[in-house]
Amino acid sequence: MAIERTAPLGTGGALRVPRARVVPLSAPPPLYEAAVERYLTGAGIAKSSARIYRISLTTWGWMLRGEPAPTGPARRSAKPAPFDLTTVDDPALPPVLAELAAARADEMDADTVNRELSIARKAIGWWQAQGWIEADPTIGIERRPAPPDRTKALSKPQITALWALDASVREKTFWKLLYESAARADEILCLNVEELFTADKRGRVVSKGGAVEWIHWQSGTAQLLPRLIAGRTRGPLFLTDRKAPARTPTLDVCPTTGRARLSYRRAEEIFEESTRLLASPLARPEACDELEGWTLHRLRHSALTHDAEDGTSTPMLLARSRHASVRSLERYARPGVDAVAQHVAEHDPAARRKR
């Protein structure tokens, strides 16, 4: 960041404290949407994280225009009308933004709201460092308390029921790979065929922060991968069912089939719809459209929880999850309700006497 300073002398020759003026490092993009893209590339956001960042910043685009952001199905593919990045410096914006953020927090879960706020502040800070804007209108907006959710890990019988679903080879392979590798869904969807080492049951992924790391899988995935790959030697591992649109980036198009890389949004939709009856086993099948299924992240959460229940050591869990600290791992490594119930039953004195 370049700074120009002036130091005129005041009355009597005393040095007056200068005021810094930030000189933009590059010409600022006129529109907010362009500024978002410049941030994602210029700040070195990992490809596996860029999708989440873009969605969050698109959501904040509505509120930075002084409008409520859409929620639920209306949020998908919705974008705010174009507006100037300098709108962020409007002194009338902070109170309006605080009210909109509070209203959104009442409709969304705390984890989502906090993540979106954190991403918005990172982008605003980067734009300030470039000299494109001066103000941070999010100052004063507080993070929401997020009580820990102890139910995110699926039970082992639920995982078994998932494998029994009637699903395509693509879905079965994707779900198996997510669970067996305990990797993040973004990382798996960014995998290319040439990054697989099938003989060793491992693959190379770009992790959060841009680090290149290894993931490992088991026999379930190993048996499905040849059917999914079907002779392909390079290009995205998981593909859509249709040809890629004309403007799809080359890296996201299979050179053999011409189909595009499967998106996180579509993969999440398929998984959620496929697991609705598993998530609500007492519901009637005809009420399926009114139910909510599981999220992809629960497969990673479940894999790490089941490892912990089976006695996997903390160093191995850290290596498998690729978390930076034990504290980050804590919420995954907590034994699930079925494991606790089994432990209590096995240590029931009356039950032992009966045996």
Side-chain angles (χ1 to χ4, degrees):
M1 177 173 65
I3 299 179
E4 289 185 355
R5 297 183 182 272
T6 58
L9 294 177
T11 305
L15 184 65
R16 185 159 55 89
V17 177
R19 181 175 181 179
R21 180 169 65 86
V22 178
V23 178
L25 296 178
S26 60
L31 297 180
Y32 173 79
E33 187 174 11
V36 168
E37 295 304 320
R38 292 274 291 276
Y39 165 66
L40 295 178
T41 55
I45 304 300
K47 184 178 179 181
S48 58
S49 302
R51 187 194 67 87
I52 296 295
Y53 274 59
R54 186 177 287 107
I55 291 174
S56 295
L57 291 172
T58 298
T59 296
W60 270 86
W62 294 90
M63 295 190 289
L64 291 170
R65 290 186 74 246
E67 300 178 12
T71 57
R75 184 186 181 195
R76 295 172 184 168
S77 302
K79 293 184 179 180
F83 65 98
D84 291 343
L85 179 62
T86 53
T87 300
V88 175
D89 284 329
D90 185 346
L93 179 60
V96 175
L97 192 62
E99 186 175 340
L100 290 169
R104 179 170 175 75
D106 290 339
E107 298 183 22
M108 307 292 291
D109 66 274
D111 285 336
T112 298
V113 169
N114 291 338
R115 181 182 66 247
E116 291 177 347
L117 176 59
S118 176
I119 290 173
R121 283 179 169 158
K122 289 178 183 178
I124 288 170
W126 191 83
W127 294 331
Q128 287 176 316
Q130 306 310 304
W132 297 349
I133 59 174
E134 296 181 1
D136 179 356
T138 69
I139 291 177
I141 299 177
E142 297 182 355
R143 291 173 59 86
R144 291 295 170 120
D149 184 350
R150 306 299 189 198
T151 66
K152 285 186 177 178
L154 303 171
S155 67
K156 291 181 179 179
Q158 286 177 313
I159 293 293
T160 300
L162 176 64
W163 303 152
L165 286 180
D166 183 15
S168 69
V169 172
R170 182 187 67 187
E171 267 60 68
K172 283 183 176 292
T173 309
F174 181 47
W175 302 343
K176 280 270 188 183
L177 182 52
L178 274 179
Y179 179 73
E180 291 184 355
S181 69
R184 301 172 181 88
D186 275 331
E187 297 170 342
I188 297 299
L189 290 170
C190 287
L191 266 174
N192 292 325
V193 175
E194 61 268 29
E195 294 165 335
L196 305 178
F197 295 77
T198 54
D200 299 322
K201 297 180 183 175
R202 68 178 65 168
R204 207 163 41 209
V205 298
V206 178
S207 185
K208 293 176 69 174
V212 179
E213 299 177 321
W214 291 104
I215 61 167
H216 306 264
W217 56 81
Q218 299 170 326
S219 297
T221 299
Q223 293 169 1
L224 289 166
L225 276 174
R227 295 172 58 192
L228 176 73
I229 296 171
R232 292 183 289 131
T233 58
R234 59 194 180 96
L237 176 60
F238 293 100
L239 301 172
T240 57
D241 298 324
R242 299 178 181 179
K243 294 286 185 180
R247 296 184 179 180
T248 305
T250 303
L251 293 177
D252 291 330
V253 178
C254 172
T256 304
T257 65
R259 297 186 321 213
R261 188 185 303 275
L262 182 65
S263 70
Y264 188 104
R265 180 189 63 79
R266 182 58 185 146
E268 183 82 279
E269 283 179 352
I270 293 172
F271 187 65
E272 191 274 332
E273 291 171 1
S274 300
T275 57
R276 287 176 181 176
L277 290 177
L278 294 182
S280 303
L282 300 181
R284 303 186 313 276
E286 55 269 25
C288 189
D289 290 344
E290 302 172 4
L291 305 176
E292 290 187 5
W294 298 330
T295 62
L296 289 171
H297 181 71
R298 295 186 71 175
L299 289 176
R300 169 175 164 83
H301 195 116
S302 303
L304 296 173
T305 297
H306 296 164
D307 276 0
E309 292 172 351
D310 293 339
T312 302
S313 67
T314 298
M316 182 57 70
L317 284 173
L318 276 173
R320 185 151 150 73
S321 67
R322 293 169 288 117
H323 280 113
S325 67
V326 174
R327 185 170 184 176
S328 300
L329 180 66
E330 285 179 349
R331 63 192 180 108
Y332 295 94
R334 180 181 295 270
V337 62
D338 288 347
V340 174
Q342 181 179 350
H343 171 81
V344 172
E346 289 175 349
H347 291 78
D348 184 345
R352 287 204 299 267
R353 285 197 295 271
K354 289 179 181 178
R355 290 197 294 267

